[in-house]
């Protein structure tokens, strides 16, 4: 896809879409970093898939996604470390009225209590999102760590 | 607040709002990092408040905000260090036609002359903004450093 | 220019412009980091100029821009290092219907294979872009490294 592909077609609709998704991701990441496991899981579909090249198998379904974040948040609290997930360079590829694909970079910034902040991970990710009655949800996310 | 709360209601207006605020923050941060103290202070209301968990008391009013940035810029120049403030993961919560609350992450990237760039601070911040005849202004900002 | 300058005038058009440019930059950076030299070069005008304070002379024209990225991508592959270019704090200054100037921050995040991600460069950049039949293209980019 060329860099200018997005500028053709239904421009206004696409701009609304980009704005919606940008807000969606901001709130999704804030929920994750606050350890709000249910709110994080609610940003995925009921059968949502979270796959990463760092793990042998994807996490499938809201219940499993909720548990994974609860465990991660408990570990961070025990370690007295704060994580901040930053998304950037968000490219939006509309599929149809109810489906969109995105490709973006994500950083994890790690700060130990009384310590120095640093980049923990640099990744690139791809989402498939669907629009329901309650807004956008991730049907599948694939995260690729740059170091692996 | 759920991750999808933003997608209901007056969608177009909200998208314009997000765009306005994104441009506002870009210019506000560039003014700060360029040491343009008056331009930075003008992005706050006359009685604007800048509070941070790193400081015992908030900075109150444009005159005090101007002086604080002048002092910080002079110190950076003396140390031959460049700071870049990056805002991200901006979540926008409209209050009424003239008021909006935001919650976002902010990094300070520090680069010494002839040295290596690194993260200086990782923070989360909340703003209350009001719209005047001259555009948006911050009435109160609360910054929380991740390391404290 | 004041921080609120953008909020006056043709608001809707400006918001579409910001959205278009944000998408443009996301795709441009992803093309660069994927080593897609022709797609990267196609985001510049045929006579596009890439200037940086790190280099004695600017790179001029798509052919030279293509070769420069091919060489950089080959070196990164040989070194087993991944680069991610992040743009942020994008300020948009419309000139006329077909021309826009922007000013933004850019980071290069570097990750060695099996290594730790870190900031490689912190920069500030200014673009002049023109709109053609195929979307926005950069006519001139000036990148200033914070360490020099």
């Amino acid at each position: 896809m060329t860099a200018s592909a997005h500028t053709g077609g239904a421009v206004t609709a696409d701009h609304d879409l980009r704005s919606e998704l940008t807000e969606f991701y901001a709130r999704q990441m804030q929920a994750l970093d606050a350890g709000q496991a249910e709110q994080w899981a609610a940003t995925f579909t009921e059968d949502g898939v979270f796959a990463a090249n760092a793990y042998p198998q994807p996490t499938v379904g809201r219940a499993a996604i909720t548990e994974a974040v609860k465990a991660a948040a408990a570990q961070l609290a025990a370690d007295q470390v704060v994580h901040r997930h930053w998304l950037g360079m968000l490219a939006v590829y509309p599929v149809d009225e109810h489906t969109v694909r995105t490709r973006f970079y994500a950083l994890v910034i790690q700060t130990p209590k009384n310590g120095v902040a640093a980049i923990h991970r640099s990744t690139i990710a791809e989402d498939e999102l669907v629009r329901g009655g309650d807004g956008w949800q991730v049907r599948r996310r694939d995260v690729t760590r740059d170091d692996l």
Side-chain angles (χ1 to χ4, degrees), chain A residues 84-143:
Chain A
R84 300 288 179 206
H85 285 74
W86 284 65
L87 268 63
M89 301 300 99
L90 173 67
V92 176
Y93 303 98
V95 177
D96 60 39
E97 201 185 335
H98 301 290
T99 315
V100 61
R101 292 179 185 275
T102 63
R103 192 164 189 269
F104 54 86
Y105 296 170
L107 292 176
V108 185
I109 309 296
Q110 178 170 288
T111 310
K113 190 168 176 66
N114 300 317
V116 177
I119 299 174
H120 179 59
R121 300 280 185 236
S122 174
T123 70
I124 185 165
E126 294 182 320
D127 273 1
E128 180 181 82
L129 299 109
V130 291
R131 195 202 300 263
D134 209 30
W136 290 101
Q137 292 177 323
V138 178
R139 186 149 64 188
R140 181 181 177 94
R141 173 168 296 172
D142 287 277
V143 180

